[in-house]
Amino acid sequence: MKRRLFVVFLIAIVSVGFLFAGGSRESSGGRRPIVLWYDGTEEESFKRLEPEFEAKYPELDLQLEIIPYDNLSTQELVACQSSSGPDIMWQSYAWTNSFARMGLLESFSPYLAESEAIDIETDFNPVTLELGTVDGEIYGLPWSVEAMSLVYNKDMFREAGLDPEDPPETWAEMIEYAQALTKDFDGDGVIDQYGFAVNGNTPGNCWFRFVPDLWAAGGNLTDDDMTKATLDTPEGLEALKYYTEFLTKYKVAPESSVTNNSGNNRTLFINKRVAMYIDGQAGVRTVQNESDIDVGICLWPGKDGPTTAGLGGYYLAMPKNAEHKEDAWTFIEYFLSEEVQSWFPIAFPANLAAQNAERFNNYRDEHFREQLDYTRNFPPIADTPTAQTIIMDMIQAVLSGMSTPEDALAEANSRLNECLTAE
């Protein structure tokens, strides 16, 4: 198995001129390399994918390079602006539109026009193509699709006198349930079990959790043409207060919330330190594999009922400076086929036919399939990575007590306006 883990600081990349991978671009036996960057997830699936692909295409050498998710967008940005980089990148839906608008990606449209393996009209839901398309050109092809839901511990519900088959549906009920689920079992003044885990760290994690709350409050990040920030509104303030007051007011979230990302919160849930948190299919699969928890899943509670989650998933994107474009396209056609997609993704595959695979007929995936009916795309802000960081900084300022919600919202609105108007 060919795996390389790269955690490279941005300043080091700039100063020494892009030293990723060393000699990894060379292959033995005259095979042609295809370099794929991903975040290290789906590792079990890769153990099957890599040998099967290379058996089908023995002249090609699939080289897998792991960039942890927290660093992925930054390192991909640097790679796309350098003289060398990967041939294929995994990208969150929220990133590809930005990269394409910056002119950093190769358009897939010419390849699709000639492809006999991919039918863009029938293989994908059009919604999954929206953020990968700029000015009519397709720069991102989806391979996974998911929407986050509320995940909870049914046993903790029972112990708190709550019906695990009647989970919270609204913001008010979320606060009520979280208070009932927060426990100091030994009476020493230290909380042993928290009701709800709040995300305060990692830009993408905060973005995927705060923006749906903003939508639920009736607010938006920007105006319709994305030229003016609209965070600093009564709706924005209501959403920010709701998001942060689990910690700052009600004390039903861990004190470490300001530094907790989705992985930390999942670990707290597995260790039975929190009763509820927001997560996706892949995360819940990890919980079920690593614990004996009786897991409950329900539609994400909104202000007055189920909220609209942000459509999540991953695109395949090809840097404009990719060295092996034709071979990379060979892999993309193989990877997006119904045959491969029916078994590869932990989440739902974007390939519509593959979504009917028998393995999705289970409690977990049936609930997440229902959440897909309550989704929408995030706005394709030109510099989405910066916008995500602005949202994270706003949340951290409030969770840490360094700023009031009002001041943090005003600061974030000002920074988002600068982001929207930057050249």
Side-chain angles (χ1 to χ4, degrees), residues 125-390:
N125 185 321
V127 176
T128 65
L129 296 169
E130 287 179 359
L131 294 183
T133 303
V134 174
D135 297 331
E137 294 286 313
I138 297 175
Y139 294 92
L141 285 170
W143 65 266
S144 70
V145 58
E146 66 176 320
M148 293 184 182
S149 299
L150 181 68
V151 184
Y152 60 96
N153 185 315
K154 288 187 174 183
D155 287 333
M156 289 182 178
F157 270 50
R158 297 183 185 101
E159 293 164 1
L162 301 171
D163 183 354
E165 306 310 320
D166 185 25
E169 298 180 354
T170 66
W171 284 3
E173 290 179 352
M174 275 292 295
I175 294 168
E176 176 188 344
Y177 278 52
Q179 289 175 316
L181 291 160
T182 299
K183 304 289 185 180
D184 173 9
F185 291 117
D186 54 13
D188 65 353
V190 177
I191 301 299
D192 301 299
Q193 173 184 300
Y194 289 94
F196 182 62
V198 173
N199 260 91
N201 199 8
T202 305
N205 291 172
C206 293
W207 176 269
F208 270 86
R209 288 159 179 79
F210 173 75
V211 175
D213 284 341
L214 178 63
W215 292 335
N220 282 296
L221 290 164
T222 73
D223 58 7
D224 290 343
D225 58 5
M226 290 176 289
T227 59
K228 181 180 179 181
T230 57
L231 269 174
D232 196 4
T233 62
E235 293 81 9
L237 182 60
E238 183 179 21
L240 183 57
K241 284 185 174 180
Y242 170 73
Y243 189 99
T244 56
E245 284 181 349
F246 284 98
L247 172 63
T248 62
K249 180 178 180 179
Y250 300 106
K251 310 299 182 183
V252 295
E255 293 182 0
S256 58
S257 294
V258 68
T259 59
N260 286 350
N261 60 23
S262 61
N264 301 134
N265 287 341
R266 189 178 305 118
T267 298
L268 288 169
F269 186 79
I270 290 172
N271 291 334
K272 302 180 182 179
R273 295 297 310 281
V274 298
M276 301 185 293
Y277 79 117
I278 301 294
D279 207 351
Q281 277 169 285
V284 174
R285 179 176 174 178
T286 298
V287 171
Q288 293 175 321
N289 288 341
E290 298 183 4
S291 76
D292 61 355
I293 293 172
D294 187 3
V295 177
I297 308 166
C298 67
L299 294 174
W300 189 335
K303 182 179 177 181
D304 301 308
T307 197
T308 300
L311 185 64
Y314 276 101
Y315 282 130
L316 294 179
M318 186 189 298
K320 188 176 285 292
N321 63 6
E323 295 180 50
H324 312 105
K325 294 178 182 177
E326 293 299 327
D327 290 335
W329 181 251
T330 296
F331 171 80
I332 290 169
E333 287 188 320
Y334 171 82
F335 185 67
L336 295 182
S337 67
E338 179 185 352
E339 176 187 0
V340 174
Q341 289 293 288
S342 65
W343 60 262
F344 183 89
I346 295 176
F348 288 118
N351 182 297
L352 292 174
Q355 290 182 9
N356 296 318
E358 178 66 26
R359 69 188 180 96
F360 295 116
N361 295 329
N362 60 73
Y363 169 85
R364 177 188 66 238
D365 294 328
E366 287 173 0
H367 279 270
F368 281 108
R369 192 190 303 275
E370 183 183 13
Q371 186 69 65
L372 287 175
D373 292 332
Y374 296 84
T375 58
R376 62 188 280 191
N377 277 313
F378 290 98
I381 294 172
D383 188 356
T384 294
T386 294
Q388 291 180 335
T389 299
I390 291 168

Side-chain angles (χ1 to χ4, degrees), residues 10 13 20 37-39 67-81 89-92 94-96 98-99 102 104 202-204 314 383-386 388-389:
L10 179 60
I13 300 169
F20 287 120
W37 278 10
Y38 74 114
D39 63 3
I67 312 293
Y69 181 83
D70 291 359
N71 304 306
L72 188 58
S73 65
T74 298
Q75 294 194 18
E76 287 182 345
L77 182 62
V78 173
C80 288
Q81 295 173 329
M89 305 182 298
W90 283 16
Q91 292 196 317
S92 171
W95 304 340
T96 299
S98 300
F99 277 62
M102 287 187 279
L104 301 177
T202 305
Y314 276 101
D383 188 356
T384 294
T386 294
Q388 291 180 335
T389 299

